[in-house]
Amino acid sequence: MQQLNTIPFKKLPSKEERHKLFGSVPPGEKKKPTEKNQMADLQNVKRDFLFDLDVVGVANVKYPVRVLSGQAPFEQTTVGTFTFSSSIPANSKGTNMSRFMELLEQYHQNGFSVSIDELKQFTKDLAIKLEQPDATISVTFPWFYERKAPQTSAAGLNHAEVSISVRYSQHGDYQINVSLNIQITTLCPCSKEISEYSAHNQRGNVTIETELEPGFSNTDGDWKVLLLEAAESNASARLHPILKRPDEKMVTESAYENPRFVEDMVRLIAADLYELPAVMKFHVACRNEESIHMHDAVASVTYDKRNGQG
């Protein structure tokens, strides 16, 4: 067997010497207090700082959370991306940033679930902890739900992108905004009408944003399932992770039997949302990735049931 050539190792300086080589210097003389009660607290300075601030907080915070679902799997663990904030008056220099994370960790230790009820309690606790009149929490995460094939019942997981924002004010009022981003199948009615056979279809991306009534609770049902059904039940066909040939036949025929323009999609979904008592205001947008064009087709509708306007 041929022996490999050996390369002699170069003797390196010690780690301390290497650090000095790359710019490290000895610690300077420490003169400032090390005890918290003796340290300056610039954020709590009270003076006229010119303007009230609408939002002060932390963003892009990633933490593990539990998701409760009205559709299997009924409980799952995922990663939530959070934004925490409150307003501050003009006489406050700043906020206590560490308190946002302290409360998040406290909730995490108790098995934080991103349900409406728990997020409402979180914002109230946060406002108290910050000693401010309001607090807001926003979180986004992927929600997985089981989908069975229509004929063989072969099961797999689809997912939708979820966003929740809850704002609490000292008067005990809440503002709850939720959104769901879902993918569906649409088949072109025009293509079906003019072609001797077949019709082109595309995958549509539906975004539903709603404001729920302030008293909405977990006992009112899973809003994620309600919005998912509003989108999928009005599409030409639903998407499935697993399809065998008998399933594919059913899905293809269902799409042919239910052609939808992008305009049709947003109007039909809007009608379902209009009939949901818990929904106060909604915005529905659909984007179809056209299969016979390089461009996308888009449509949207906004409606506020409190005043009958968009």
Side-chain angles (χ1 to χ4, degrees), residues 264-296:
D264 303 333
M265 281 298 306
V266 296
R267 286 173 169 146
L268 287 169
I269 295 170
D272 280 13
L273 298 176
Y274 184 86
E275 293 178 338
L276 290 177
V279 174
M280 298 291 97
K281 181 179 180 179
F282 57 80
H283 174 78
V284 182
C286 184
R287 176 182 294 270
N288 281 349
E289 298 178 1
E290 295 289 300
S291 61
I292 62 171
H293 303 292
M294 292 187 69
H295 58 256
D296 296 344

Side-chain angles (χ1 to χ4, degrees), residues 143-272:
W143 167 53
F144 292 87
Y145 57 93
E146 184 180 79
R147 172 57 45 79
K148 292 182 179 179
Q151 179 67 34
T152 65
S153 295
L157 293 178
N158 280 351
H159 70 277
E161 292 299 314
V162 170
S163 294
I164 311 173
S165 177
V166 177
R167 184 181 187 276
Y168 165 81
S169 72
Q170 63 183 356
H171 304 295
D173 299 325
Y174 289 95
Q175 182 176 335
I176 307 167
N177 294 88
V178 298
S179 73
L180 202 65
N181 185 272
I182 317 110
Q183 295 188 66
I184 45 87
T185 293
T186 58
L187 182 134
C188 179
C190 185
S191 175
K192 177 182 177 180
E193 180 67 25
I194 65 177
S195 301
E196 296 291 346
Y197 42 82
S198 188
H200 81 85
N201 57 19
Q202 50 270 319
R203 187 159 61 197
N205 192 290
V206 174
T207 300
I208 303 176
E209 301 170 341
T210 68
E211 180 181 341
L212 302 179
E213 58 96 11
F216 188 87
S217 170
N218 296 347
T219 58
D220 295 319
D222 186 357
W223 65 269
K224 300 186 296 298
V225 174
L226 295 176
L227 298 194
L228 178 68
E229 182 63 15
E232 292 190 325
S233 65
N234 289 301
S236 299
R238 302 173 192 248
L239 300 187
H240 297 78
I242 302 174
L243 290 174
K244 298 298 186 181
R245 278 174 294 174
D247 305 311
E248 188 172 354
K249 171 180 167 64
M250 290 188 66
V251 171
T252 302
E253 291 173 350
S254 173
Y256 193 78
E257 293 161 358
N258 296 279
R260 297 284 188 267
F261 286 125
V262 68
E263 300 93 333
D264 303 333
M265 281 298 306
V266 296
R267 286 173 169 146
L268 287 169
I269 295 170
D272 280 13

